[in-house]
């Protein structure tokens, strides 16, 4: 067949073509998308074979009557590279450095480091809905389970910075030191294993504030010992960074851990200072009337008020909260009272007819949840960032994300330090 004439028929972005390699069960789509975005920087060799296989699988799926050779698949891959891909957040044309994005979520680290002139050469994120959002905004499907050797084997050499917002887990510390081996079975072990093998110039790890006191401080002590002693990195004292001090109206504290390979001779590092610009909730609220679906029912508001009163009677501060327009939001989180701790007043609604199944009538007090777009803004994502999943998934994704401005401010300090070498 005349492939170039037929190729336009194939929608390579269609979800139904996300198929697995017949021989091994390996999902080749991440390799395919990573190849397309790294064909000019020498990194493509890590993805080429599986990228060709992916194209071969797709064509055979679309045209089952055809026998597709590897050469035809490779020529098709070259043809696809020649086509202009339009994505919301492309990499810089002339990147200044390379980084990898582990536990990538929806790309908060990537957005920050691309803004600083960086090129992402590998991404890993296991959640399928986050992968959809990531692909829609960056044109790459993240690789999946980073604990698998097969996934780690895709990671290229010679990147400059490793970024990871890894989950917090307790270690079963067998010895007194709390070293590399004691972290086995945790996701930090996989991060440490990659650092040990690839030896990037710098690392940037992010975690919840509670990591500092997790397991009576043993978890953080072990992490720092592994990075400093076992892996040979200069690690200044980690710092708690609050997103509200970097241009977003959200009280979100996270621990940042920055490090540099010791042989580079970097012996000091200063985390970014808070910016002077103060923003409030009104800076991120929707400018148009939002759907009635975001307004709470009278029944639910009554439940929230009773719940809060019970806790207040016991001296607890738990419960819903309505943030004033000139206030600062609580940390957006994906579970518990995440949305109810960040309610707002909005009196613009005129039609109170429910569009979802609710108990009772829609309240006329103007009390509503923030929209997913408002949560995106609280995390520093621009309005051009695509939200392609359900509201429930969007809240989860932004609640789990990093605050982009805080990451970018710290990332700039890392880049400035590397520039001095």
């Amino acid at each position: 067949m005349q492939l170039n004439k037929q190729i336009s028929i194939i929608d390579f972005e269609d979800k139904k073509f996300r198929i697995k390699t017949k021989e091994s069960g390996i999902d080749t789509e991440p390799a395919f998308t990573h190849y397309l975005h790294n064909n000019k920087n020498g990194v493509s060799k890590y993805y080429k074979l599986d990228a060709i296989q992916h194209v071969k699988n797709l064509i055979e799926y679309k045209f089952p009557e055809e026998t597709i050779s590897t050469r035809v698949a490779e020529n098709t891959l070259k043809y696809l590279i020649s086509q202009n891909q339009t994505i919301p957040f492309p990499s810089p044309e002339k990147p200044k450095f390379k980084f990898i994005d582990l536990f990538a979520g929806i790309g908060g680290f990537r957005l920050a480091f691309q803004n600083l002139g960086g090129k992402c050469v590998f991404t890993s994120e296991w959640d399928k809905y986050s992968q959809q959002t990531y692909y829609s905004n960056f044109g790459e499907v993240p690789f999946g389970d980073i604990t698998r050797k097969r996934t780690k084997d895709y990671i290229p050499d010679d990147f400059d910075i490793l970024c990871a917002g890894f989950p917090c887990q307790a270690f079963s510390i067998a010895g007194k030191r709390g070293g590399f081996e004691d972290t086995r079975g945790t996701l930090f072990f996989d991060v440490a294993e990659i650092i040990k093998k690839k030896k990037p110039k710098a690392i940037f790890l992010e975690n919840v504030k509670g990591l500092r006191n997790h397991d009576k401080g043993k978890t953080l002590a072990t992490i720092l010992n592994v990075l400093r002693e076992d892996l040979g990195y200069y690690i200044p004292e980690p710092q708690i960074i609050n997103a509200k001090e970097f241009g977003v109206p959200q009280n979100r504290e996270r621990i940042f851990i920055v490090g540099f390979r010791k042989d580079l001779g970097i012996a000091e590092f200063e985390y970014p200072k808070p910016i002077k610009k103060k923003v409030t909730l009104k800076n991120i609220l929707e400018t148009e009337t939002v759907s009635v679906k975001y307004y709470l029912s009278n029944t639910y508001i009554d439940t929230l008020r009773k719940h809060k009163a019970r806790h207040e009677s016991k001296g607890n501060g738990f419960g819903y909260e309505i943030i004033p327009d000139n206030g600062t939001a609580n940390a957006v989180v994906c579970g518990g009272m995440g949305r109810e701790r960040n309610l707002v007043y909005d009196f613009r609604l005129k039609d109170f007819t429910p569009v979802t199944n609710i108990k009772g009538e829609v309240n006329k007090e103007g009390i509503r949840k923030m929209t997913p777009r408002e949560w995106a803004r609280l995390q520093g994502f621009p309005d051009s960032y695509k939200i392609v999943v359900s509201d429930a998934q969007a809240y989860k994704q932004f609640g789990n994300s990093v605050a982009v401005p805080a990451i970018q401010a710290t990332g700039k300090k890392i880049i400035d330090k590397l520039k001095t070498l």
Side-chain angles (χ1 to χ4, degrees):
M1 75 180 168
Q2 295 179 335
L3 194 58
N4 284 4
K5 290 183 179 179
Q6 295 276 8
I7 200 68
S8 60
I9 299 172
I10 303 178
D11 182 0
F12 279 87
E13 297 182 4
D14 195 317
K15 293 176 186 176
K16 69 183 179 183
F17 291 130
R18 294 187 173 178
I19 56 180
K20 296 182 181 295
T21 306
K22 300 169 185 173
E23 296 82 2
S24 60
I26 296 168
D27 186 350
T28 53
E29 187 183 32
F32 168 66
T33 57
H34 276 65
Y35 183 89
L36 291 182
H37 287 268
N38 288 280
N39 63 86
K40 296 179 180 178
N41 61 10
V43 172
S44 59
K45 62 184 178 183
Y46 293 90
Y47 309 123
K48 185 175 182 179
L49 291 179
D50 281 345
I52 292 172
Q53 183 62 56
H54 188 71
V55 173
K56 189 172 186 289
N57 291 345
L58 292 178
I59 300 173
E60 288 176 345
Y61 182 89
K62 186 70 174 182
F63 305 104
E65 72 283 0
E66 299 287 345
T67 300
I68 306 301
S69 68
T70 299
R71 176 175 290 183
V72 168
E74 187 169 3
N75 288 338
T76 304
L77 189 59
K78 291 177 182 177
Y79 172 77
L80 290 170
I81 290 171
S82 70
Q83 304 304 296
N84 292 323
Q85 268 195 310
T86 303
I87 55 176
F89 300 99
S91 298
E93 283 291 328
K94 296 181 179 179
K96 301 172 185 175
F97 60 91
K98 293 182 286 188
F99 67 98
I100 69 170
D101 193 9
L102 306 180
F103 308 100
I106 56 174
F109 264 107
R110 178 164 183 158
L111 201 56
F113 276 85
Q114 282 191 177
N115 289 342
L116 294 169
K119 166 69 178 175
C120 185
V121 295
F122 175 86
T123 307
S124 174
E125 167 56 47
W126 68 273
D127 181 76
K128 67 177 183 179
Y129 298 107
S130 294
Q131 287 181 343
Q132 290 174 18
T133 300
Y134 199 102
Y135 175 75
S136 296
N137 285 282
F138 301 106
E140 285 180 3
V141 177
F143 287 92
D145 187 356
I146 197 61
T147 66
R148 297 176 62 226
K149 181 182 182 300
R150 175 68 180 175
T151 305
K152 293 190 186 82
D153 286 344
Y154 283 108
I155 301 175
D157 297 325
D158 301 323
F159 59 90
D160 301 291
I161 305 168
L162 176 145
C163 302
F166 68 98
C168 179
Q169 297 168 284
F171 302 136
S172 178
I173 301 174
K176 294 181 180 179
R177 258 181 19 115
F180 185 78
E181 296 301 321
D182 297 318
T183 67
R184 282 189 178 277
T186 69
L187 293 170
F188 173 73
F189 174 81
D190 295 286
V191 175
E193 191 177 39
I194 293 166
I195 295 171
K196 184 177 183 179
K197 182 177 181 180
K198 300 298 181 178
K199 297 179 174 57
K201 293 176 183 176
I203 59 174
F204 184 1
L205 311 181
E206 180 265 2
N207 214 301
V208 294
K209 178 185 177 182
L211 177 64
R212 177 170 280 179
N213 300 315
H214 193 255
D215 196 16
K216 299 179 180 179
K218 293 178 183 177
T219 302
L220 180 58
T222 299
I223 288 171
L224 296 179
N225 190 65
V226 170
L227 296 174
R228 288 167 176 164
E229 304 302 325
D230 294 5
L231 302 180
Y233 279 74
Y234 160 66
I235 308 291
E237 190 62 25
Q239 188 156 324
I240 303 294
I241 299 287
N242 197 327
K244 73 177 182 180
E245 297 177 334
F246 293 90
V248 290
Q250 180 194 178
N251 184 28
R252 186 184 192 83
E253 293 182 301
R254 291 294 185 268
I255 189 169
F256 287 3
I257 304 172
V258 166
F260 301 90
R261 214 174 58 219
K262 284 182 179 178
D263 67 305
L264 299 177
I266 296 173
E268 59 179 2
F269 177 79
E270 186 177 345
Y271 282 89
K273 296 283 194 301
I275 65 174
K276 294 181 180 179
K277 178 184 177 183
K278 181 174 174 57
V279 294
T280 58
L281 196 68
K282 65 182 178 182
N283 295 109
I284 63 91
L285 293 177
E286 302 278 11
T287 57
E288 303 293 333
T289 304
V290 304
S291 170
V292 66
K293 71 179 179 178
Y294 296 109
Y295 284 76
L296 277 58
S297 70
N298 285 324
T299 303
Y300 189 44
I301 290 176
D302 184 57
T303 299
L304 290 176
R305 284 171 173 157
K306 289 177 179 177
H307 174 266
K308 187 169 186 174
R310 282 197 303 272
H311 281 286
E312 285 180 342
S313 67
K314 299 176 184 178
N316 299 326
F318 303 123
Y320 78 97
E321 187 172 346
I322 303 175
I323 311 298
D325 284 3
N326 63 352
T328 300
N330 294 301
V332 293
V333 293
C334 60
M337 295 283 287
R339 277 166 265 181
E340 289 78 3
R341 292 274 292 159
N342 281 306
L343 300 176
V344 297
Y345 283 117
D346 188 340
F347 300 101
R348 294 173 294 182
L349 188 67
K350 303 301 181 184
D351 184 355
F352 294 88
T353 306
V355 294
T356 56
N357 294 322
I358 62 171
K359 292 183 179 180
E361 297 179 344
V362 175
N363 86 90
K364 293 183 173 60
E365 299 177 61
I367 300 173
R368 68 167 175 86
K369 299 176 290 188
M370 288 192 199
T371 66
R373 178 60 66 190
E374 288 167 334
W375 272 36
R377 293 168 184 163
L378 285 176
Q379 291 284 48
F381 285 82
D383 283 359
S384 54
Y385 188 88
K386 289 186 177 181
I387 301 174
V388 297
V389 293
S390 67
D391 280 2
Q393 285 297 328
Y395 285 124
K396 179 181 177 182
Q397 290 175 3
F398 289 115
N400 281 331
S401 180
V402 294
V404 177
I407 294 292
Q408 188 167 322
T410 307
K412 185 177 186 306
K413 287 286 188 177
I414 295 172
I415 301 305
D416 289 346
K417 214 54 169 167
L418 293 177
K419 285 179 180 177
T420 63
L421 299 177

